[in-house]
Amino acid sequence: MPQPNPRDAVLLTVTSDTLVAADLGPRGRADGREDSRPGSREEGPYRRLFALPGTRAFTAGNLIARLPMGMFSVSAVVMIAGTRDSYALAGAVTATGLAATAVVAPWTARLVDRYGQARVALPATVFAVLGSLALLLCVRHDAPDWTLFASYAATATTPNTGGMSRARWAHLLKGDAEALHTANSFEQAADELCFMLGPVLAAFLCGAFFPEAGTLVGAVLLLAGVLLFTAQRSTEPPVARRAPGGAPFRVPGMRPLLAVCLATGAVFGSLEVVTLAFADDRGHRSAAGAVLALQAAGSCAAGLLYGAIRPAGPARARLPWCLAAMTALMTLPLLAAGLTGSLPVLAGTLLLAGMATAPTMVTTMTLVQRYTPEGRLNEGMTLAVTGLLGGIACGSAAGGWTVEHVSATAGYGVPVAAAATALIVSAALFGRSNRFPFEPSNRPADSRAPH
């Protein structure tokens, strides 16, 4: 028997000799729109987002798998420096892993696009976990130094779980630019949350139990999270064995975006090193983690708020404004360090400065999705992450050099310069509407959605 539409539901009954019709549908306004009274308000954007079938399950798996991304480097440094008594060796090993990831990650993402997330991500994760366990055993049993480099380089096959999650949202929300904006904002907030909690958890595990505890727990969480994530096959994007478009790196407009990612990554890398040095210079080295966590907390909160609103104009027009805001706010830590020298005041300015990073990254990733050819989204997103990682490495080196040769206070000029560089690149290359097409010509027209 067909069921009545709840919006048009009418209950008919008889009282004595009178026929009564009771309208049980939602009450509306005279102009035809939904009633805005508290009892009948529409659901919020995030509630609507996770009302889609399967989204909560793959998000849970992705968050579990993403948390170790903020744990591994800190755990490796603590583990190697604690047992080999050499921060130089620990830094060299982690830098080698970062370089290997920059080379291997795009190829892993290309295989994910071609053969599917479940078929590629799971074996790639197993290989990376074995590399982490090999590093743990080499450190534990005092193996030669070269084995540490080889073991940590093997972890470069770790799949970009954040990119795979964004690819699922893009598949599920195709044609709904507003919902996709909310999803991208949530993913950026999740990134900030994981990179805020990961180092704290790693430091706690290595200090409270044994030096290898952070790496061990991180490997277990990564494998468990990817297992749960890839098990959600209903939300997995379809496989494109032969993608209709060319390589994302060659698409007009992609390389300027990667340059922006490189400069933005330098902001993050330099800010971390300089803050550690500033706190150590003030005799509060142990508080550096909490101070950096405030910057990530500000970014996380701003990302969630940014996803709940509908920004005006296309993403390409918003990017220079976001970068201008980030450049302006990055001057606050420089002023706080130079004028007050107070760590609590610096922490407050880092909280404010962090509020510009999430909107900038959300807008950048939205543009990466727009310019990436159909069927190669994981590869495009991973290229952006690779650019960020390269920028983090460059920013760390520049920040460390400035701290050592000038001062920790002057070091806060490095993130300002990096943010200004990203602003100049975006303004020069995306400022004119006809500089690059809004969408690459090799993306099918039916997948275009204004944003």
Side-chain angles (χ1 to χ4, degrees):
M1 177 178 178
Q3 298 296 319
N5 187 337
R7 290 183 174 273
D8 303 322
V10 176
L11 176 64
L12 299 177
T13 185
V14 177
T15 61
S16 183
D17 58 350
T18 304
L19 177 64
V20 179
D23 184 5
L24 300 182
R27 296 186 180 274
R29 301 184 349 169
D31 58 6
R33 291 183 294 175
E34 292 290 338
D35 196 343
S36 60
R37 289 178 298 181
S40 58
R41 286 183 298 180
E42 292 185 0
E43 293 180 331
Y46 291 103
R47 185 183 294 271
R48 291 196 301 270
L49 198 67
F50 288 104
L52 296 174
T55 55
R56 296 185 182 185
F58 86 71
T59 298
N62 183 261
L63 290 177
I64 295 173
R66 206 183 303 189
L67 181 61
M69 298 302 102
M71 297 176 59
F72 282 133
S73 60
V74 174
S75 298
V77 168
V78 173
M79 178 173 63
I80 295 172
T83 56
R84 301 294 175 97
D85 195 26
S86 174
Y87 278 98
L89 176 62
V93 170
T94 55
T96 300
L98 185 64
T101 299
V103 174
V104 175
W107 291 96
T108 304
R110 182 175 297 183
L111 293 174
V112 167
D113 286 328
R114 184 172 299 176
Y115 299 106
Q117 295 183 355
R119 290 185 62 186
V120 175
L122 190 55
T125 300
V126 170
F127 191 86
V129 167
L130 291 176
S132 294
L133 296 179
L135 175 67
L136 187 153
L137 293 173
C138 289
V139 172
R140 187 77 172 179
H141 296 285
D142 200 25
D145 290 350
W146 68 265
T147 62
L148 307 184
F149 290 92
S151 300
Y152 203 69
T155 64
T157 62
T158 303
N160 178 14
T161 53
M164 291 192 297
S165 182
R166 288 177 171 92
R168 293 199 179 208
W169 287 120
H171 167 62
L172 294 173
L173 303 173
K174 182 178 292 186
D176 190 346
E178 187 174 348
L180 186 57
H181 165 75
T182 302
N184 284 335
S185 299
F186 170 80
E187 290 297 327
Q188 186 60 38
D191 277 340
E192 299 293 346
L193 181 64
C194 291
F195 279 98
M196 177 176 64
L197 297 179
V200 176
L201 178 60
F204 169 75
L205 291 171
C206 294
F209 297 98
F210 48 91
E212 300 85 1
T215 299
L216 182 61
V217 172
V220 172
L221 288 175
L222 175 62
L223 183 58
V226 172
L227 279 170
L228 177 58
F229 179 81
T230 55
Q232 314 308 315
R233 303 299 293 270
S234 63
T235 55
E236 183 176 348
V239 174
R241 293 296 180 93
R242 292 185 178 181
F249 185 76
R250 297 179 180 178
V251 173
M254 180 62 78
R255 277 171 280 192
L257 282 174
L258 296 181
V260 170
C261 289
L262 188 69
T264 306
V267 174
F268 303 148
S270 58
L271 203 61
E272 180 176 352
V273 171
V274 173
T275 301
L276 289 170
F278 187 86
D280 192 18
D281 190 50
R282 296 300 184 277
H284 299 287
R285 186 177 185 180
S286 60
V291 173
L292 287 171
L294 282 176
Q295 187 266 340
S299 183
C300 180
L304 292 175
L305 179 61
Y306 190 61
I309 64 175
R310 183 177 181 179
R316 184 175 56 186
R318 294 198 309 269
L319 182 58
W321 290 103
C322 290
L323 288 168
M326 184 169 71
T327 303
L329 289 178
M330 283 298 160
T331 62
L332 297 179
L334 177 61
L335 293 174
L339 297 177
T340 68
S342 169
L343 191 61
V345 174
L346 175 70
T349 59
L350 284 174
L351 176 67
L352 294 174
M355 292 182 178
T357 59
T360 299
M361 290 307 306
V362 170
T363 307
T364 302
M365 290 302 183
T366 298
L367 283 170
V368 170
Q369 291 178 354
R370 289 283 182 263
Y371 283 103
T372 300
E374 186 78 8
R376 305 190 75 161
L377 186 56
N378 284 293
E379 185 179 351
M381 300 296 290
T382 302
L383 280 174
V385 172
T386 301
L388 286 170
L389 292 176
I392 289 172
C394 294
S396 298
W401 185 92
T402 305
V403 166
E404 184 174 344
H405 292 85
V406 187
S407 68
T409 299
Y412 281 106
V414 177
V416 176
T421 302
L423 172 60
I424 293 171
V425 171
S426 67
L429 297 174
F430 291 102
R432 288 181 290 170
S433 60
N434 60 349
R435 176 67 177 176
F436 294 107
F438 184 70
E439 302 263 9
S441 58
N442 53 3
R443 181 183 285 274
D446 60 356
S447 69
R448 298 181 184 179
H451 187 63

